[in-house]
């Protein structure tokens, strides 16, 4: 186990950014400058980004040639799914959104037919404006040489640079797409905890070519290398006991669905009318979203993963996820207002748990593998509505069903 992993277990390394915390100082390491080959210094800061994950921020400076370099690196593992962010940039305020871009992420602006391929830049923590500035700087870097050797190409690139610079003024709307098969990139939602109408976040199943680029093996590839009767493998895979839950299907108590994706999606709507509702058992699969319409709140399907808990436990998990010290909310009046809004959201969740607010909780699971206890069973629950629905093409895409081939697999 590495030093970072040991400290993570003790909870002593990754902390929320807090300018008033005197103990939160970066680690300084003497490092070789790759520009002039003299010694410079690297500063490392290990921190957590709310609504995202743990990251390592590094900054190198050389006092001899004044060369600097700043980058970020995910401190967590590659996620189970890739992530695709699609942002409609409409105002200059959107340019201030914080962005975590890992080195495995590609960046596209369709309106300009512009793309920064994966692994062509180091990971960065910046803003939308910072991403554009970095792209402009990269294109301008070799312009003097182009102008001397190929003036025609240099002129075309100069015009393209001007178009990129105009995007910063947001004279017209454009689309920014960040596609990261590792799942370790992020675009800030300044409206949190409310849903961001300008931002679409899609989680997807990686293809074999994605795994190859990331240098990871799929479970199928790993299984091919293991003995069929390996008892240790069986013990590792059977981590939790199976429970046949009344009025539901066979599930894993851990929690991942023990059954296949259902033919139809399931949407469960519960009207909270009594504090006793908080004790209802609840299974939220990893594909389930949680909505509270009265708060204009929506929690994406990958945010909390799979859970077997109570309704109160789910709401407390939501509060813990949303209400935390946010490094994007320090230092000026606007960020203070946003921090106050998150605190108010936490107080609202407390009121819901105490039965002081009349709201609806919606569990929307396109895979059909989530459940909420009917306390009136076997009679219908007057406060709960269960709907079955046909998945859209996009939902099937998110679940990896569109690429599934079933021809030729009929039982013989």
């Amino acid at each position: 186990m590495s030093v970072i992993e040991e400290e993570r277990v003790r909870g002593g390394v990754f902390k929320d950014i807090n300018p008033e915390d005197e103990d939160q100082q970066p680690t300084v390491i003497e490092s070789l400058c790759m520009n002039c080959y003299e010694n410079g210094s690297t500063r490392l800061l290990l921190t957590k980004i709310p609504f995202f994950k743990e990251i390592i921020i590094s900054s190198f400076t050389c006092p001899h040639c004044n060369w600097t370099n700043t980058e970020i690196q995910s401190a967590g593992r590659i996620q189970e799914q890739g992530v695709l962010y699609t942002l409609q940039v409409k105002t200059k305020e959107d340019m201030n959104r914080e962005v975590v871009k890992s080195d495995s992420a590609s960046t596209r602006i369709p309106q300009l037919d512009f793309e920064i391929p994966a692994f062509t830049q180091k990971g960065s923590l910046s803003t939308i404006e910072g991403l554009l500035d970095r792209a402009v700087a990269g294109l301008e870097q070799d312009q003097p040489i182009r102008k001397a050797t190929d003036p025609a190409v240099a002129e075309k690139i100069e015009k393209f640079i001007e178009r990129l610079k105009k995007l910063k003024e947001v004279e017209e709307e454009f689309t920014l797409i960040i596609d990261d098969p590792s799942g370790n990139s992020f675009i800030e939602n300044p409206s949190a905890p409310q849903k961001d109408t300008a931002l679409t976040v899609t989680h997807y199943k990686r293809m074999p070519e994605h795994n190859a680029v990331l240098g990871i093996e799929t479970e199928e590839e790993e299984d091919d290398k293991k003995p069929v009767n390996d008892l240790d493998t069986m013990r590792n895979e059977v981590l939790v006991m199976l429970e046949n839950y009344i009025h539901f299907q066979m599930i894993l108590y851990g929690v991942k669905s023990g059954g296949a994706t259902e033919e139809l999606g399931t949407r469960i709507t519960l009207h909270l009318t009594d504090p006793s509702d908080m004790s209802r058992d609840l299974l939220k699969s990893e594909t389930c979203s949680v909505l509270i319409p009265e708060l204009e709140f929506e929690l994406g399907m990958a945010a909390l993963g799979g859970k077997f808990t109570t309704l109160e436990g789910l709401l407390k998990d939501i509060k813990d996820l949303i209400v935390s010290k946010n490094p994007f909310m320090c230092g000026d009046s606007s960020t203070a207002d946003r921090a106050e809004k998150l605190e108010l959201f936490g107080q609202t969740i407390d009121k819901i748990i105490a039965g002081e607010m009349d709201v609806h909780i919606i569990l929307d699971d396109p895979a059909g593998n989530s459940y909420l206890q009917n306390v009136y069973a076997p009679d219908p629950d007057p406060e709960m509505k269960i709907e079955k629905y046909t998945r859209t093409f996009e939902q099937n895409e998110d679940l990896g069903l569109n690429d599934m081939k079933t021809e030729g697999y009929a039982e013989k």
Side-chain angles (χ1 to χ4, degrees), residues 272-276 278 349-358:
L272 301 181
T273 58
D274 191 89
S276 62
M278 292 297 109
I349 293 294
D350 289 337
K351 290 181 180 179
I352 294 174
I353 294 174
E356 299 174 4
M357 288 192 67
D358 186 348

Side-chain angles (χ1 to χ4, degrees), residues 105-296:
S106 62
T107 305
R108 288 187 291 127
I109 301 176
Q111 288 82 354
L112 298 185
D113 196 23
F114 174 71
E115 179 175 2
I116 303 173
F119 298 106
T120 58
Q121 291 182 344
K122 291 290 186 180
S124 63
L125 171 61
S126 62
T127 61
I128 304 293
E129 183 176 3
L131 283 182
L132 295 179
D133 285 338
R134 192 177 186 187
V136 168
L139 291 172
E140 288 180 334
Q141 184 175 358
D142 295 325
Q143 276 296 82
I145 298 176
R146 293 192 193 100
K147 289 177 180 179
T149 59
D150 196 337
V153 172
E155 184 178 355
K156 291 179 180 179
I157 292 178
E158 192 66 35
K159 291 180 179 179
F160 189 82
I161 289 173
E162 290 303 316
R163 293 182 67 188
L164 275 177
K165 289 181 177 179
K166 287 182 179 179
L167 289 186
K168 291 170 53 178
E169 302 302 320
V170 198
E171 295 177 359
E172 60 182 58
E173 297 181 9
F174 67 93
T175 305
L176 176 71
I177 300 174
I178 295 181
D179 187 352
D180 187 358
S182 77
N184 285 326
S185 291
F186 171 79
I187 295 181
E188 178 194 8
N189 170 11
S191 304
Q194 275 71 44
K195 183 178 180 179
D196 191 334
T197 56
L199 180 65
T200 301
V201 184
T202 304
H203 297 268
Y204 60 87
K205 184 178 180 181
R206 278 188 294 270
M207 303 298 289
E209 51 267 30
H210 292 143
N211 290 325
V213 169
L214 294 173
I216 60 177
E217 292 182 331
T218 62
E219 292 182 2
E220 290 81 1
E221 291 170 335
E222 292 176 352
D223 289 342
D224 290 341
K225 299 178 181 179
K226 297 178 182 178
V228 175
N229 58 351
D230 187 345
L231 293 179
D232 290 335
T233 299
M234 294 175 64
R235 292 191 188 99
N236 289 334
E237 291 178 350
V238 185
L239 297 176
V240 290
M241 67 178 183
L242 286 172
E243 178 180 342
N244 192 358
Y245 212 84
I246 300 175
H247 307 297
F248 192 50
Q249 62 191 58
M250 192 67 76
I251 59 172
L252 280 174
Y253 187 51
V255 128
K256 291 244 183 189
S257 172
T261 300
E262 296 296 296
E263 184 177 347
L264 298 173
T266 302
R267 184 181 296 106
I268 305 170
T269 303
L270 176 66
H271 182 202
L272 301 181
T273 58
D274 191 89
S276 62
D277 286 328
M278 292 297 109
S279 63
R280 290 179 185 246
D281 288 327
L282 175 147
L283 172 72
K284 176 195 174 298
S285 84
E286 62 274 13
T287 58
C288 181
S289 300
V290 181
L291 299 89
I292 307 177
E294 289 80 1
L295 303 186
E296 298 182 359

Side-chain angles (χ1 to χ4, degrees), residues 38 51 138 199 237 332:
E38 297 287 344
F51 321 121
L199 180 65
E237 291 178 350
D332 57 39

